[in-house]
Amino acid sequence: MALGEPRMTVTSESLDVTAVAAAVAGACDGAIATFVGVVRDHNAGRHVLWLDYEAYAPLAVRTFEHIAAEAATRWPDARLAIHHRTGRVDVGEASVAIAAASPHRADAFAACRYAIERVKQVAPIWKHEHFEGGEVWIEGATADPADDEARTLAFARACT
Amino acid sequence: MHVTIRLFARLREVAGASDLTRTIPDGSTAGDAWQALVAEFPALGDHTSSISVAVNEEYAKPATALRDGDEVAFLPPVSGG
């Protein structure tokens, strides 16, 4: 286990999925599921050049911790680490890396999926898309951590 | 009382500022602070129905009461991941 590797962070540095996994790995675990979100070269018919990510960093880290606490109510033996990029992220680069460790694979997969669904719903982070011919702010959900419907949807997606 | 207002992403661009310090009446809520901001930057009014609010780096409600020195953040719909 990498000592000092934070479980939750927002960083302008490149993401390292091995480090994210190391932040949660323990001797009791039989599985570590990881998810890496990557910038792709197309969106809504546009040719994407790069994304600029903006975050309200302190609230983002608290939100990641809150997501982990929610996951712990469903999968008590699973632990999560969530690392998210800020600044310019080029096509092919990782924008988010998540690791979920658990004694058993089913819970690791489910907690990992839950975490990315919730990050997209409630983390105070924004994509500014630079595409061929222009730029646009991408806006998804209005963030409301207390919205039970969104949380229920995330749990449902995690368990399919 | 004095409050610090933080704006992000599109809201930051509309107002042309990411950090503002404003004096608002004692007893104001986060929603009151937003309305004062809309009075100053009318173009922000288009976003009233879609924003989230945070007070002192925690998600809050428009009805959340503010205190002197608080940091109030207004967030457009998020798109992380």
Side-chain angles (χ1 to χ4, degrees):
Chain A
M1 182 170 178
L3 288 174
E5 189 65 45
R7 287 196 182 173
M8 308 301 180
T9 191
V10 171
T11 175
S12 59
E13 306 286 322
S14 292
L15 299 181
D16 174 5
V17 70
T18 308
V20 184
V24 285
C28 60
D29 296 314
I32 301 174
T34 57
F35 171 82
V36 179
V38 178
V39 175
R40 64 167 179 261
D41 68 0
H42 64 280
N43 183 41
R46 300 184 292 264
H47 180 201
V48 175
L49 302 173
W50 74 88
L51 299 179
D52 257 317
Y53 280 89
E54 179 171 335
Y56 186 14
L59 181 60
V61 169
R62 285 189 188 195
T63 302
F64 295 165
E65 286 163 355
H66 191 71
I67 290 168
E70 289 173 354
T73 66
R74 181 70 67 96
W75 306 284
D77 293 332
R79 291 176 317 287
L80 279 164
I82 305 171
H83 292 192
H84 204 296
R85 276 290 297 275
T86 54
R88 175 172 169 153
V89 185
D90 286 312
V91 169
E93 279 193 291
S95 55
V96 59
I98 297 173
S102 167
H104 302 289
R105 67 185 180 281
D107 287 0
F109 275 120
C112 190
R113 177 73 193 269
Y114 179 78
I116 184 59
E117 296 299 328
R118 289 297 274 162
V119 165
K120 286 178 167 286
Q121 289 174 345
V122 296
I125 300 172
W126 300 271
K127 290 179 178 88
H128 195 203
E129 181 186 300
H130 294 256
F131 59 92
E132 223 166 58
E135 53 193 72
V136 63
W137 284 103
I138 307 297
E139 293 188 349
T142 296
D144 180 5
D147 179 358
D148 282 333
E149 204 173 313
R151 195 164 43 220
T152 300
L153 178 65
F155 274 124
R157 285 181 174 162
C159 295
T160 41
Chain B
M1 61 180 170
H2 299 283
V3 294
T4 301
I5 293 168
R6 306 278 315 268
L7 298 171
F8 292 89
R10 195 202 298 265
L11 302 183
R12 171 176 57 72
E13 289 193 346
V14 169
S18 57
D19 296 79
L20 299 163
T21 303
R22 290 293 179 269
T23 304
I24 56 174
D26 287 352
S28 293
T29 63
D32 295 333
W34 174 255
Q35 290 307 328
L37 210 57
V38 169
E40 187 176 351
F41 305 99
L44 287 175
D46 297 343
H47 302 271
T48 300
S49 63
S50 65
I51 57 166
S52 302
V53 183
V55 176
N56 298 333
E57 301 175 354
E58 293 279 10
Y59 277 110
K61 300 285 182 192
T64 300
L66 300 179
R67 296 177 178 185
D68 187 49
D70 277 353
E71 176 178 293
V72 191
F74 297 108
L75 318 174
V78 298
S79 57

